[in-house]
Amino acid sequence: MKKIVAVFILLLVGVVALSVWFSPFAGTDAKVYDDNVAVSSVDGLCYAQNACVRYDATGELSDMYAALKKLRARIVKTATAGNVTVVYAYSDRVCGENTLLGGEKYNVMAAFRCGDIAIGAPLLQGSY
C-alpha cells in the first residue's frame, strides 16, 4: 500500500511540474487581453488557447531578452522605432501563431521602451 501511495504522489508531483513547465506565464502577474483591453488575470497555470496574454515588467533591455529566453523563444525579427524595440519570436511553449509579411511565424511579441517591458502571446495587445 505504501508503494502505491508513493507512486501516486510522484505522479502528482510530475503532473504539477509539467503543468508549470508548459505554462510560460505561471507565477507572473499576466493579464488576458481582448481587443486591446485587459479583461482578466491569468489565474493558476492555464489560460485559454485563443487568449492574448500580456505580462508587464520594468528593467533593462537585457531583462526583456532574459524573459524571452525563459519562454524558450527563438527570435524571428527585431525592429526599432525611436526609443521602442519590438521583438517577434516563436516559442513551442506558447499557444497561437501569427505570420509576418515575409512568411515567418511568431507567437510572442516583446517591447522595450525606457525601462518598461511588455511581453505578449501570441500578440502583444495594449499600448507599448
Side-chain angles (χ1 to χ4, degrees), residues 2-20:
K2 288 182 183 181
K3 288 182 182 180
I4 292 173
V5 172
V7 168
F8 177 75
I9 290 172
L10 284 174
L11 187 62
L12 185 62
V13 168
V15 168
V16 170
L18 279 175
S19 296
V20 170

Side-chain angles (χ1 to χ4, degrees), residues 22 24-25 47-51 90-98 106-108 121-123:
F22 280 112
F25 295 99
Y47 57 93
Q49 183 175 355
N50 62 347
Y90 189 87
S91 172
D92 290 329
R93 296 184 64 199
V94 174
C95 298
E97 189 175 276
N98 301 300
Y106 71 97
N107 60 3
V108 177
L123 188 66

Side-chain angles (χ1 to χ4, degrees), residues 33-107:
Y33 274 69
D34 184 23
D35 200 21
N36 285 321
V37 176
V39 293
S40 66
S41 294
V42 176
D43 295 323
L45 300 176
C46 299
Y47 57 93
Q49 183 175 355
N50 62 347
C52 282
V53 178
R54 176 178 171 149
Y55 172 68
D56 292 290
T58 56
E60 302 295 324
L61 186 61
S62 60
D63 296 322
M64 180 184 76
Y65 285 108
L68 290 171
K69 185 176 181 180
K70 183 177 178 184
L71 290 172
R72 291 183 173 80
R74 173 185 51 84
I75 295 173
V76 174
K77 181 179 179 179
T78 302
T80 303
N83 61 351
V84 179
T85 300
V86 178
V87 175
Y88 300 86
Y90 189 87
S91 172
D92 290 329
R93 296 184 64 199
V94 174
C95 298
E97 189 175 276
N98 301 300
T99 305
L100 293 171
L101 284 175
E104 296 175 285
K105 297 191 181 312
Y106 71 97
N107 60 3

